[in-house]
Amino acid sequence: MSSLMTNASAMTALQTLNTISKNMATTQSRISTGLRVGEAADNAAYWSIATSMKSDNKALSSVQDALGLGAGKIDTAYTGINEVIDTVDKIKQKLVTARGASQEDQQKIQAEINSLQDHITSVVGNSNYAGSNIIQDNADVNIVASYNRTGTAVSIDEVTLTGSEVLVLDTAGTAGTAASVVATALFDASGGQVADTAVDTALGTVETALAALADQAAELGAAKSRVDLQKDFVGKLSDAIERGVGQLVDADMNEESARLSALQVQQQLGIQALSIANSNSQNILSLFR
């Protein structure tokens, strides 16, 4: 029915055009932001879950930083203790050579051992990373390894190294597994040729130190392995969470692009429909002129 007072066709066309415009605005927003759920109004449940997961991922990023710092400290200490072990091995070789050697040769050997002892002190002192020296400080090292959340309950796991168990040599050179090798001369050849028993005693001291150093290196190696594994796991976990968030809130760009093209066509048709409806109304009015 045609009416002079109400243009129903034009009203319908305008409503359709408004709906198309709203849908276009939504689609354009998704294309520009890349998000299907950008705020709570889009999908409250998905937005809430994604927000919590994003927060957890930020915490995991901090865990990765802590693990990276911890890995640097342990790697440095591990490198240092292996160098100490190599140096003590060289001292051991020198002592074997000193057994039964002439006084002159023993004096030279003692001088070489003194140099190696100084090297051990230097290696331990320089095994420093970010202000921390695990094999010298005699302080426990706690490395944040994971962030766990169940509901609102949160827990943090750590990789812990007990300082006293990995102390190689303290700043005074009097404590630690290498102290007996470094603190004093293993034998003294300055007053005459050294008896074989003195060299044997020194060799016993070295062997004891080597056994303890091996245990400490194993402790550091185990911690190094655990930190490396945890770094790899946390990285994969972070990626998995990011993918999960994406599945909840990311827009399908191919789908949205196709929808935008369709809406643009619908908009053009809607404008034409409104124009036709208005034109028909004008034609009716022209009959009364």
Side-chain angles (χ1 to χ4, degrees), residues 3-257:
S3 172
L4 291 176
M5 303 301 296
T6 304
N7 190 339
S9 297
M11 292 174 62
T12 300
L14 184 59
Q15 289 174 355
T16 301
L17 194 58
N18 286 337
T19 300
I20 293 171
S21 296
K22 289 180 181 178
N23 290 337
M24 281 188 69
T26 299
T27 300
Q28 287 172 335
S29 175
R30 290 176 177 178
I31 291 174
S32 62
T33 63
L35 295 174
R36 177 170 59 92
V37 180
E39 56 186 30
D42 296 329
N43 187 315
Y46 280 9
W47 181 85
S48 178
I49 294 170
T51 298
S52 296
M53 292 172 72
K54 287 178 181 178
S55 177
D56 287 350
N57 229 10
K58 289 177 182 178
L60 285 179
S61 178
S62 297
V63 171
Q64 286 180 298
D65 292 341
L67 285 167
L69 181 61
K73 292 179 180 180
I74 293 175
D75 283 347
T76 301
Y78 189 68
T79 300
I81 199 169
N82 280 317
E83 178 64 20
V84 169
I85 290 173
D86 289 343
T87 306
V88 174
D89 271 336
K90 291 176 182 177
I91 290 176
K92 177 179 175 180
Q93 294 170 16
K94 298 297 180 185
L95 287 171
V96 173
T97 303
R99 201 175 192 279
S102 65
Q103 179 183 349
E104 182 180 357
D105 287 341
Q106 287 182 345
Q107 289 174 343
K108 292 177 181 177
I109 291 169
Q110 181 62 66
E112 290 175 330
I113 289 175
N114 292 343
S115 178
L116 292 171
Q117 289 172 320
D118 291 340
H119 180 62
I120 291 174
T121 302
S122 176
V123 166
V124 174
N126 289 321
S127 297
N128 188 299
Y129 183 91
S132 175
N133 192 324
I134 296 177
I135 58 177
Q136 179 177 264
D137 292 343
N138 196 20
D140 294 350
V141 178
N142 300 304
I143 302 167
V144 174
S146 68
Y147 175 86
N148 312 304
R149 180 174 63 84
T150 304
T152 58
V154 173
S155 63
I156 293 177
D157 294 332
E158 295 180 329
V159 174
T160 300
L161 273 172
T162 304
S164 60
E165 292 181 358
V166 292
L167 175 63
V168 173
L169 190 69
D170 67 7
T171 53
T174 56
T177 54
S180 57
V181 177
V182 173
T184 58
L186 291 177
F187 70 91
D188 185 2
S190 60
Q193 189 171 4
V194 178
D196 289 342
T197 53
V199 175
D200 291 343
T201 299
L203 281 169
T205 299
V206 167
E207 288 292 353
T208 300
L210 281 173
L213 286 166
D215 289 341
Q216 290 178 309
E219 187 83 12
L220 286 168
K224 181 179 184 300
S225 178
R226 184 182 172 192
V227 168
D228 288 343
L229 288 171
Q230 193 67 15
K231 279 176 60 182
D232 185 56
F233 169 70
V234 171
K236 291 178 180 177
L237 181 61
S238 179
D239 290 344
I241 290 176
E242 189 171 349
R243 289 194 299 271
V245 170
Q247 290 172 355
L248 291 177
V249 303
D250 285 357
D252 184 329
M253 301 306 288
N254 291 330
E255 181 181 334
E256 298 300 335
S257 296

